[in-house]
C-alpha cells in the first residue's frame, strides 16, 4: 500500500503554532503521519492537541484529497482464496476485496476493477469496453497515476434502446474521458431486425474499420449478468423478454457481452445471435487480457460458467462470491 500527499491546501482553519511550510493543521498532521511516520500520539504532542483530534485530521486529509491511498492489486492477489481461484479456473490473476453488507458491492467492485485495469494499461493500448452497471462503475472510477499516451477505448457491442444508465456507449464514453483516450463508439444497434440487414450493415466500410479496431483490442473489461427477472439484461433493451425466456428454456444461465452461455460456459446460439452486432464469444477469447469484474449471490452460477468457459484471464470479485465459487 502506498500513500501520496498532494499539494492541495486550503486556508488556515486551525489556530495552532505551525511551521510556516504548512499553515493548515490537517496538511501538517498528514505529513507527519504518512511521510515522517510519527505515531498519532507523537503528532498530538507536537501540535498540542488530543490524539482524537489527530484521528479527525487524518480522516479529513483523505476526504479533502490531501492524502491518496493506493493498494496494489498484487497484495489482493496473494490471499489464499485468490490463489485457489486462480488454480481452479486457470486464471492469470485474481483480485479479492472484502465482503461488506453495505449495499455498494457494484461500486466497490468497480473501484477494484479500475485498479486492476489501470495497472495493466500501457502506451498505445486499445481497450475494449462492454456494458452493465459494474462495467460503468469501473469506467467511472478509473484513474491513472500518470498520463499514458495514445490510448483508445472502443465499444465492443452495439447500442441499445433500453436503459441508458449502463449502456455500452455510455461506458465507453465515460472511460475514455477518465483516462483521456480516443473514444470509438460502435455506430450500429445491438440487434437488427434480420440477419440479412446485419450482413449488409457490417459490409459498410466505416463498420469494417471499427471491427478491425475491436478485433485488435489489447485488453477488455466486462461483467457477468444473470438472467433473473430483475437482471440487467432484461432492462438493457437488447432483446425482448420472450427472446430471453427462449434462451433460458435452452439452458442459459448467464450473459456476457450480450451473449448467452449455459452452465458449462458454452455459447448458446439462436436467432438473436444471427441479428446481433458486436464481439462474439470466440472473438472475446482472442483478446490477450480479459478482465471480468463480477460478484453477488445471484450471479454465482453465471460467474462459474463464465470462468470455466475460459472467457476471463483476470477476475475481480469479493470474498463471499469467491468462497461460493470454490464450492461449485
Amino acid at each position: 500500500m502506498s500513500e501520496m500527499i498532494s499539494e492541495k491546501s486550503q486556508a488556515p482553519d486551525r489556530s495552532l503554532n505551525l511551521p510556516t511550510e504548512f499553515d493548515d493543521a490537517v496538511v501538517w498532521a498528514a505529513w507527519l503521519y504518512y511521510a515522517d511516520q510519527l505515531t498519532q500520539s507523537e503528532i498530538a504532542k507536537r501540535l498540542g492537541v488530543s490524539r482524537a483530534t489527530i484521528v479527525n485530521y487524518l480522516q479529513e486529509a483523505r476526504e479533502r484529497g490531501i492524502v491518496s491511498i493506493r493498494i496494489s492489486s498484487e497484495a489482493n492477489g496473494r490471499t489464499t482464496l485468490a490463489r485457489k481461484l486462480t488454480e481452479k479456473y486457470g486464471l492469470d490473476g485474481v483480485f479479492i476485496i472484502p465482503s461488506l453488507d453495505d449495499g455498494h458491492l457494484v461500486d466497490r467492485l468497480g473501484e477494484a476493477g479500475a485498479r486492476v485495469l489501470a495497472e495493466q494499461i500501457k502506451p498505445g493500448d486499445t481497450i475494449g469496453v462492454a456494458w452493465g452497471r459494474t462495467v460503468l462503475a469501473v469506467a467511472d472510477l478509473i484513474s491513472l497515476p500518470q498520463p499514458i499516451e495514445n490510448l483508445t477505448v472502443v465499444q465492443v457491442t452495439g447500442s441499445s434502446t433500453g436503459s441508458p444508465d449502463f449502456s455500452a456507449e455510455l461506458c465507453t464514453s465515460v472511460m475514455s474521458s477518465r483516462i483521456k483516450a480516443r473514444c470509438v463508439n460502435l455506430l450500429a444497434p445491438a440487434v437488427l431486425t434480420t440477419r440479412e440487414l446485419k450482413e449488409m450493415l457490417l459490409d459498410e466500410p466505416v463498420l469494417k474499420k471499427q471491427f478491425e479496431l475491436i478485433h485488435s483490442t489489447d485488453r477488455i473489461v466486462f461483467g457477468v449478468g444473470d438472467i433473473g427477472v430483475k437482471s440487467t439484461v432484461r432492462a438493457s433493451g437488447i432483446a425482448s423478454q420472450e427472446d430471453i425466456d427462449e434462451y433460458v428454456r435452452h439452458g442459459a444461465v448467464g450473459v456476457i457481452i450480450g451473449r448467452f452461455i449455459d452452465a458449462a460456459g458454452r455459447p448458446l446460439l439462436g436467432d438473436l445471435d444471427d441479428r446481433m452486432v458486436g464481439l462474439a464469444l470466440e472473438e472475446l477469447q482472442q483478446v490477450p487480457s480479459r478482465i471480468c469484474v463480477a460478484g453477488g449471490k445471484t450471479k454465482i452460477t453465471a460467474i462459474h460458467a463464465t470462468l470455466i468457459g475460459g472467457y476471463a484471464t483476470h477476475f475481480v470479485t469479493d470474498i463471499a462470491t469467491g468462497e461460493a465459487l470454490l464450492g461449485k
Side-chain angles (χ1 to χ4, degrees), residues 136-173:
L136 181 58
V138 173
D140 196 42
L141 295 168
I142 191 169
S143 63
L144 300 177
Q146 57 187 15
I148 298 179
E149 296 182 348
N150 194 27
L151 298 179
T152 299
V153 176
V154 60
Q155 179 180 330
V156 301
T157 63
S159 303
S160 69
T161 58
S163 173
D165 297 339
F166 48 80
S167 66
E169 54 270 32
L170 177 61
C171 294
T172 306
S173 299

Side-chain angles (χ1 to χ4, degrees), residues 197-229:
L197 181 57
K198 169 189 169 181
E199 291 175 350
M200 290 176 59
L201 187 62
L202 294 185
D203 199 41
E204 288 293 319
V206 63
L207 283 177
K208 282 186 176 181
K209 289 183 179 180
Q210 287 188 314
F211 269 91
E212 288 175 2
L213 187 61
I214 290 172
H215 294 150
S216 69
T217 53
D218 300 286
R219 53 200 87 256
I220 187 170
V221 179
F222 68 97
V224 178
D226 64 286
I227 38 75
V229 294

Side-chain angles (χ1 to χ4, degrees), residues 1-6 30 33-34 58-59 61-63 65-72 111 115 119 143:
M1 182 174 71
S2 62
E3 302 90 5
M4 297 181 292
I5 300 179
S6 77
Y33 186 73
Y34 290 107
L58 296 177
Q59 177 62 29
R62 294 182 61 182
E63 293 173 352
I66 295 168
V67 174
S68 174
I69 299 178
R70 302 179 66 89
I71 303 177
S72 169
E111 183 179 11
R115 291 178 184 175
E119 291 182 5
S143 63

Side-chain angles (χ1 to χ4, degrees), residues 288-310:
S289 179
R290 308 181 296 277
I291 303 172
C292 174
V293 186
K297 60 182 180 181
T298 64
K299 296 185 178 183
I300 302 299
T301 299
I303 295 172
H304 174 69
T306 298
L307 297 180
I308 64 175

Side-chain angles (χ1 to χ4, degrees), residues 85 89 91-97 106 108-117 120 128-131 134-135 138 219-226 254-257 261 281 284 287-296 299-318 321 325:
L85 289 172
Y89 293 110
L91 298 164
D92 292 338
V94 174
F95 187 104
I96 300 289
I97 64 172
V106 169
R108 296 176 63 246
L109 286 174
E111 183 179 11
R115 291 178 184 175
V116 172
L117 175 60
Q120 288 192 14
V129 177
W131 54 269
T134 307
V135 174
V138 173
R219 53 200 87 256
I220 187 170
V221 179
F222 68 97
V224 178
D226 64 286
V255 183
I256 51 178
I257 62 170
I261 57 174
L281 290 175
L284 170 63
V287 179
S289 179
R290 308 181 296 277
I291 303 172
C292 174
V293 186
K299 296 185 178 183
I300 302 299
T301 299
I303 295 172
H304 174 69
T306 298
L307 297 180
I308 64 175
Y311 299 110
T313 57
H314 297 78
F315 179 43
V316 179
T317 195
D318 63 297
T321 301
L325 288 169

Side-chain angles (χ1 to χ4, degrees), residues 225-301:
D226 64 286
I227 38 75
V229 294
K230 296 183 179 180
S231 61
T232 301
V233 68
R234 291 187 182 272
S236 67
I238 68 167
S240 68
Q241 302 303 312
E242 292 76 15
D243 285 333
I244 298 172
D245 290 340
E246 183 65 20
Y247 278 93
V248 173
R249 282 192 289 271
H250 283 83
V253 300
V255 183
I256 51 178
I257 62 170
R259 309 282 181 167
F260 293 85
I261 57 174
D262 66 13
R266 296 181 295 251
L268 282 173
L269 302 179
D271 174 67
L272 192 64
D273 293 270
D274 292 336
R275 298 182 285 117
M276 188 174 293
V277 177
L279 198 67
L281 290 175
E282 62 270 20
E283 294 170 329
L284 170 63
Q285 293 174 316
Q286 301 306 310
V287 179
S289 179
R290 308 181 296 277
I291 303 172
C292 174
V293 186
K297 60 182 180 181
T298 64
K299 296 185 178 183
I300 302 299
T301 299

Side-chain angles (χ1 to χ4, degrees), residues 15-33:
S15 57
L16 299 174
N17 184 22
L18 299 173
T20 57
E21 289 85 354
F22 292 117
D23 56 5
D24 186 330
V26 173
V27 176
W28 189 234
W31 184 272
L32 291 173
Y33 186 73

